Amino acid sequence: MRSLEPWVEAPLTTFLAESGARITLLTTSSGQVVAQHGFTHSLDVMSVAALGAGIIAATSELARVMGSPPLEAVVHQGNALGIHLAGFDTPRGRWLGLVVYGKETSLGLVQLFFGRLVEELGRVAPPEQPVRQVLAEDFEHELNSSLRSLFGR
């Protein structure tokens, strides 16, 4: 597991041990990576982060247009793998969690332990961080630095 936010590591480690998830990605609602487990290539992480943020944004907008509340999660159960994608609030704002799981666990267990992860992240107090622009001037440099940190390069 790799995390850019050290206060996320313990709750995420517990989630991974309890849920049996194969791949997990935590991002901000704009797709900036916070933590990941199970990915081997940084390009995959960035692609999935962008797609997850787009899926949640699109489903939220569809719900708004139809006059219904936003979906709590988007789930797909395939023959070999399942995907659970959900938005949630943290002390640092709205985040997204993407979980890929196999037959060794179930959607119900993933949802149960994901709920516990969200509760724990809500209880853990992150260290104070200075307010930054959403897209700083050195965004590309910061993105590359974050990816090197996540993948140990």
Side-chain angles (χ1 to χ4, degrees):
M1 182 201 42
R2 306 251 183 190
S3 174
L4 295 178
E5 298 280 354
W7 63 279
V8 173
E9 289 182 20
L12 185 56
T13 299
T14 300
F15 168 75
L16 291 168
E18 292 175 336
S19 70
R22 293 184 182 183
I23 295 173
T24 302
L25 179 65
L26 298 178
T27 71
T28 64
S29 59
S30 63
Q32 294 174 320
V33 176
V34 176
Q36 67 91 10
H37 167 80
F39 289 93
T40 56
H41 298 95
S42 60
L43 184 58
D44 294 342
V45 172
M46 297 314 299
S47 297
V48 170
L51 288 169
I55 290 167
I56 292 294
T59 57
S60 295
E61 185 60 18
L62 282 171
R64 187 193 67 75
V65 167
M66 294 186 309
S68 39
L71 298 173
E72 291 185 21
V74 177
V75 176
H76 171 75
Q77 182 63 55
N79 291 331
L81 296 174
I83 299 170
H84 177 265
L85 175 64
F88 59 97
D89 294 314
T90 73
R92 289 271 172 86
R94 188 93 174 137
W95 283 8
L96 307 177
L98 176 115
V99 180
V100 177
Y101 57 94
K103 292 184 178 193
E104 62 279 355
T105 191
S106 68
L107 174 60
L109 287 174
V110 167
Q111 288 174 321
L112 171 72
F113 295 119
F114 187 81
R116 289 184 183 171
L117 170 66
V118 169
E119 288 174 10
E120 184 64 22
L121 290 173
R123 279 194 298 267
V124 176
E128 287 298 319
Q129 187 177 31
V131 177
R132 298 181 347 196
Q133 294 175 326
V134 174
L135 287 177
E137 290 179 24
D138 62 345
F139 171 73
E140 185 174 356
H141 179 299
E142 184 178 317
L143 174 63
N144 289 329
S145 175
S146 297
L147 289 172
R148 281 192 300 278
S149 175
L150 279 169
F151 289 94
R153 294 182 192 150

